[in-house]
Amino acid sequence: MSSPEKWTHPGPDSPPATAAAPTAAQVIAGLRATDEGGADLVQLLTPEGERVRHPDFDIDITADELRGLYRDMVLVRRIDREANALQRKGELGLWVPLLGQEAAQIGAGRALKPMDMAFPSYREHGVAWCRGVQPGQILSMFRGTDNGSWDPVEHRFHPYTIVIGNQVLNAAGYAMGQKFDGKVGDADSEATMVFFGDGATSQGDVHEGFVWAAVYDAPLVFFCQNNQWAISEPTERQSRLPLYQRARGYGFPGIRVDGNDVLASLAVSRWALEECRQGNGPILIEAFTYRMDAHTTSDDPSRYRLSDELELWKLKDPIERVKVHLVKQQWADQAFFDSVEADAEELAIGMREYCVNLPTPPASRIFSQVYAEANPVLDAQRDEFLAYQAGFAGGEH
Amino acid sequence: MAAPTVDRPTSAAPAAKQTLTIAKAINTGLRAAMEADPKVLVMGEDVGKLGGVFRITDGLQKDFGEQRVLDTPLAESGIIGTAVGLAIRGYRPVCEIQFEGFIFPGFDQIVSQVAKLHFRTQGRIKLPMVIRVPFGGGIGAVEHHSESPESYFAHTAGLKVVSCSNPADAYWMIQQAIRCDDPVLFFEPKRRYYEKGEVDTTAAPGPLFASRVLRTGADATLVAYGPMVRTALDAAAAAEEEGRSLEVVDLRTLSPLDLAPVYESVRRTGRLVVVTEAPSESSISSEIAAKVQQECFYSLEAPVLRVTGFDTPYPPSKLEEEFLPDLDRVLHAVDRSLAW
Ligand SMILES: Cc1ncc(C[n+]2csc(CCOP(=O)(O)OP(=O)(O)O)c2C)c(N)n1
């Protein structure tokens, strides 16, 4: 798929806009239109499960592939609900739900190739799944036994980042490295994808990430999941402009996809990653979606949002529409849906067991791997503390 | 949107003595400050409808409007940097940083602008702003939600840094910080937010930048601030059962440090144990140890000892009990001091 004209880089001598000037009120009304998907929304599968064609971003999808995407979404939803339940039972200190964002994440995650790199925020459990991270491995951070337990090099999936926006600059640097290493423009080329929320777009780091990636032509796909809320603050508190339109100001394309449509998310992500691999990056994708649950298990959304909104978005459920489509196409029968359910159940049981059996590390973990090289001051502090602790075990107190 | 005029009795009108949590005491103090001065603004992430993630600003936006309680975009450099501009313009912004681990995106504004504008302009610009920072561990949180970064700020000239440890101080100190013409970093002991105490809203408060002896004793002195004050008091109570009498000083102000009561105490007890959650290297606890050794050299019966967090990143929460100074570690240090 080639880059559609309206999203190509504005050249240094692109002609000035000539259309009759709109009134100020019209401009502002347009800028404020952040509550709707808008005409530019890329959608391939409607909420009713109808396949629609898009002039620029269509893809061919086989029955097998679509069943795979469906399965992915059902499994990560189950992972999410199980973790949420584990938190409620006191097995996790906190959980960050992904409910409602399955399509955005599975579409993006399945578009990545093994050699690509992904930088998540903290809600990207679906992307983690696509990168081969075991569901249980996500839990250690939320259970408090570790700060992240997968190998980010092996999975090409960076540790979760909690400080909003930090990872965007890190990803820009990584992508610059891919470019400097000559990994763009040929068969073994690579790209990077970085995930962040609508709230994050207000952070200086994200703005700087846009600048860096742009001026170094880094092969970086910015994947913003606009789930409408940054804890209690709606997207309008972060921007007057639909977020995807910001990209133009930095000189790269911005595309808004229906984030509840796994096909659209996959198609646009594939296209964007391929553009990057060919050396035409960066690109911003805004996945227009909705956070169906609380921000985290510590949050109380009833304080700031209306249940009407939730009801509206329920009709756009990312899994149901694929299910309807599969049935309509006769691409799946009941046996298939049952087998997916059974897989989900098995996955959840395994995850639960893994979670409750996660060992609490020994106290020496506090001091381990703080530095790559020896640090005698810290070693002495560790020895003193461990000796003090051993004194307790010996029954001195 | 114009700020609504608030026409109602001040919050001081209800019972002069109330039992409040630290959280509610700060909320009540903020309300009183906003009622007393229409130039006081509260700003930060989620401080409006949600009332902040700890509900410290609960109900303020409802009563004072969106122009006095600003739900800001999600950017700490933005929150602090715009507060600088607002302060220059005559407002008294009170910024909320959601968790201490998220102050660093705003660190540049704090150390480059907030701390230096008064000096650079030789007093022509005043920055009467407060930066509220819930800090410290012990709540079982994930990364970046349990740190103790106060020494970075105490290290920077031009900033004032305080920390409250009980509801009465919380109520008064937040109002005093807001009235202060210098920028104040106000560190709140988040794990103590829901501990209760009596607040007398009529009794005159002591000075903001002064430490205070909370418990007198003869055998050794404990110095702490914020969340560790409770730990120090508990340790002193436990020590008493073993026949040891410990004096406890609540530092309250970290910059400027008010060490005169500490010197006075150490001259009587001859022994000092400093207790902080923050790591020890190049910190407020180092500073106290250095100054006390210098001022009280001939009175000391033992070297100044410190019980602190380790010089490591804050650990995963299942290990925080080992990381955080507890009663046993404090008593162990007291034993060592007394055994000298
Ligand atoms: C620098 C920083 N400031 C504040 C926070 C606290 N915080 C955690 S998540 C969040 C909202 C994030 O919203 P958004 O970027 O839209 O992502 P979402 O959580 O909706 O996926 C806030 C304010 C943080 N983690 N980091």
Side-chain angles (χ1 to χ4, degrees):
Chain A
M1 198 177 306
S2 67
S3 160
E5 220 245 88
K6 59 181 165 169
W7 286 301
T8 50
H9 290 252
D13 47 17
S14 45
T18 48
T23 67
Q26 281 172 327
V27 172
I28 290 179
L31 294 177
R32 288 270 168 81
T34 52
D35 55 338
E36 284 294 323
D40 291 341
L41 188 80
V42 178
Q43 188 180 69
L44 301 181
L45 194 60
T46 69
E48 295 76 31
E50 290 301 332
R51 185 79 164 79
V52 285
R53 298 282 155 195
H54 191 278
D56 303 317
F57 295 106
D58 220 48
I59 47 169
D60 292 322
I61 189 100
T62 64
D64 229 23
E65 251 186 308
L66 193 60
R67 279 195 300 265
L69 294 171
Y70 174 83
R71 183 172 181 276
D72 283 335
M73 289 197 291
V74 171
L75 296 193
V76 300
R77 178 170 290 184
R78 189 72 176 86
I79 292 170
D80 179 63
R81 291 301 85 191
E82 187 61 34
N84 213 64
L86 283 166
Q87 196 282 335
R88 295 288 177 233
K89 288 181 199 136
E91 298 291 349
L92 299 176
L94 182 83
W95 180 246
V96 187
L98 73 51
L99 191 70
Q101 299 181 218
E102 296 88 352
Q105 294 193 15
I106 295 300
R110 287 296 176 215
L112 289 162
K113 290 185 176 171
M115 291 308 289
D116 292 334
M117 181 66 189
F119 285 80
S121 174
Y122 43 71
R123 202 187 292 282
E124 274 66 68
H125 322 311
V127 186
W129 167 254
C130 296
R131 299 310 280 169
V133 173
Q134 288 304 308
Q137 286 181 299
I138 302 172
L139 300 182
S140 61
M141 174 175 199
F142 298 104
R143 190 167 167 84
T145 56
D146 213 331
N147 296 330
S149 48
W150 60 85
D151 180 343
V153 180
E154 178 198 330
H155 291 281
R156 295 188 180 264
F157 185 65
H158 193 69
Y160 277 2
T161 301
I162 294 203
V163 183
I164 302 291
N166 276 185
Q167 78 278 12
V168 177
L169 275 172
N170 306 154
Y174 189 93
M176 286 162 63
Q178 290 174 315
K179 172 114 193 274
F180 297 164
D181 289 346
K183 293 286 187 186
V184 292
D186 56 28
D188 69 341
S189 54
E190 298 176 16
T192 294
M193 195 179 243
V194 61
F195 296 85
F196 53 95
D198 43 303
T201 62
S202 295
Q203 283 286 2
D205 275 10
V206 176
H207 163 73
E208 292 173 30
F210 288 159
V211 172
W212 253 252
V215 303
Y216 290 102
D217 293 327
L220 179 58
V221 178
F222 297 97
F223 195 93
C224 173
Q225 287 171 86
N226 177 359
N227 64 11
Q228 314 302 327
W229 293 94
I231 310 189
S232 73
E233 301 190 358
T235 312
E236 300 93 275
R237 182 49 88 215
Q238 318 294 338
S239 183
R240 281 173 77 156
L241 192 70
L243 295 174
Y244 73 101
Q245 290 181 8
R246 284 191 178 173
R248 190 159 187 87
Y250 296 91
F252 51 82
I255 301 156
R256 176 180 274 185
V257 308
D258 179 343
N260 287 20
D261 173 356
V262 72
L263 288 186
S265 174
L266 177 70
V268 172
S269 299
R270 268 192 194 154
W271 170 80
L273 286 162
E274 201 45 41
E275 282 289 292
C276 284
R277 292 194 200 95
Q278 294 316 312
N280 301 326
I283 286 160
L284 169 66
I285 299 174
E286 176 192 355
F288 199 75
T289 181
Y290 192 76
R291 190 192 84 211
M292 295 299 287
D293 204 341
H295 168 71
T296 68
T297 45
S298 307
D299 177 39
D300 173 10
S302 70
R303 279 184 162 247
Y304 55 83
R305 72 182 186 188
L306 300 170
S307 56
D308 285 7
E309 188 179 299
L310 199 70
E311 293 307 313
L312 187 81
W313 279 91
K314 268 188 193 157
L315 303 173
K316 304 183 184 188
D317 187 82
I319 299 184
E320 285 307 308
R321 70 174 79 178
V322 176
K323 187 170 186 179
V324 171
H325 186 68
L326 285 171
V327 171
K328 277 190 187 159
Q329 295 289 106
Q330 298 192 327
W331 279 359
D333 56 12
Q334 192 56 41
F336 166 75
F337 293 118
D338 290 347
S339 78
V340 172
E341 281 310 317
D343 288 353
E345 194 50 37
E346 192 184 317
L347 191 66
I349 291 169
M351 175 173 153
R352 196 158 51 216
E353 272 174 23
Y354 185 91
C355 175
V356 298
N357 291 315
L358 271 171
T360 295
S364 58
R365 162 71 174 79
I366 294 174
F367 304 91
S368 90
Q369 302 292 344
V370 179
Y371 298 94
E373 294 186 3
N375 181 326
V377 174
L378 190 57
D379 290 350
Q381 198 174 77
R382 176 198 58 210
D383 293 346
E384 190 188 340
F385 177 64
L386 294 181
Y388 160 76
Q389 267 216 326
F392 270 96
E396 276 180 27
H397 280 254
Chain B
M1 184 183 335
T5 42
V6 181
D7 180 25
R8 90 174 89 70
T10 66
S11 61
K17 284 191 184 173
Q18 313 171 46
T19 301
L20 299 177
T21 60
I22 289 184
K24 186 66 186 167
I26 300 170
N27 175 272
T28 312
L30 282 170
R31 178 176 286 279
M34 293 184 81
E35 280 167 353
D37 181 351
K39 290 294 190 183
V40 175
L41 306 178
V42 166
M43 53 197 288
E45 295 156 12
D46 306 294
V47 296
K49 264 194 190 152
L50 190 65
V53 293
F54 291 107
R55 312 285 185 260
I56 304 298
T57 56
D58 199 16
L60 297 180
Q61 191 181 63
K62 193 165 122 291
D63 294 340
F64 294 96
E66 290 185 16
Q67 204 168 293
R68 289 196 61 197
V69 180
L70 286 78
D71 264 332
T72 66
L74 204 180
E76 288 72 15
S77 187
I79 294 168
I80 293 161
T82 56
V84 168
L86 284 159
I88 293 170
R89 180 69 194 180
Y91 287 89
R92 288 183 176 262
V94 183
C95 304
E96 172 171 305
I97 297 297
Q98 205 155 72
F99 282 88
E100 73 294 321
F102 311 138
I103 199 166
F104 299 107
F107 193 74
D108 175 24
Q109 283 290 337
I110 298 175
V111 299
S112 308
Q113 304 304 329
V114 176
K116 297 194 173 93
L117 269 167
H118 192 265
F119 180 74
R120 269 163 60 200
T121 62
Q122 285 298 287
R124 285 185 286 268
I125 290 180
K126 285 194 176 54
L127 285 180
M129 58 186 278
V130 175
I131 303 174
R132 295 185 31 243
V133 195
F135 82 123
I139 62 163
V142 295
E143 279 187 296
H144 311 287
H145 293 75
S146 304
E147 300 174 11
S148 300
E150 59 275 15
S151 296
Y152 293 113
F153 304 98
H155 190 70
T156 298
L159 303 174
K160 288 181 172 166
V161 185
V162 301
S163 182
C164 58
S165 72
N166 59 68
D169 270 357
Y171 173 78
W172 285 116
M173 285 170 72
I174 188 65
Q175 295 181 69
Q176 293 169 311
I178 292 169
R179 270 199 300 275
C180 177
D181 273 340
D182 284 313
V184 178
L185 277 105
F186 192 84
F187 280 93
E188 302 173 1
K190 71 165 92 85
R191 80 155 122 158
R192 310 287 184 205
Y193 266 152
Y194 305 107
E195 292 184 6
K196 288 184 179 165
E198 188 167 276
V199 179
D200 184 344
T201 56
T202 53
L208 175 59
F209 300 109
S211 49
R212 187 185 295 149
V213 177
L214 292 188
R215 180 186 175 114
T216 52
D219 297 338
T221 304
L222 300 178
V223 167
Y225 56 85
M228 279 293 121
V229 171
R230 174 86 267 142
T231 307
L233 287 170
D234 290 348
E240 189 175 70
E241 286 173 18
E242 293 172 11
R244 280 181 182 156
S245 153
L246 303 183
E247 183 141 318
V248 177
V249 184
D250 180 355
L251 215 47
R252 296 174 80 255
T253 171
L254 313 183
S255 180
L257 268 177
D258 176 28
L259 289 182
V262 179
Y263 300 151
E264 203 264 318
S265 175
V266 170
R267 285 189 188 115
R268 280 189 294 101
T269 65
R271 293 179 163 86
L272 178 65
V273 176
V274 188
V275 188
T276 72
E277 284 186 31
S280 59
E281 295 240 314
S282 309
S283 67
I284 288 165
S285 68
S286 325
E287 183 63 20
I288 297 170
K291 288 212 166 114
V292 168
Q293 236 120 216
Q294 187 175 315
E295 292 301 318
C296 307
F297 187 70
Y298 293 106
S299 310
L300 283 167
E301 304 284 344
V304 176
L305 296 180
R306 292 186 284 161
V307 183
T308 68
F310 302 113
D311 292 305
T312 68
Y314 197 86
S317 61
K318 291 272 184 201
L319 292 173
E320 68 182 341
E321 275 182 32
E322 332 265 356
F323 180 92
L324 294 168
D326 61 2
L327 198 132
D328 286 323
R329 263 169 76 195
V330 176
L331 292 178
H332 181 71
V334 170
D335 285 348
R336 281 174 56 212
S337 179
L338 283 159
W340 224 276

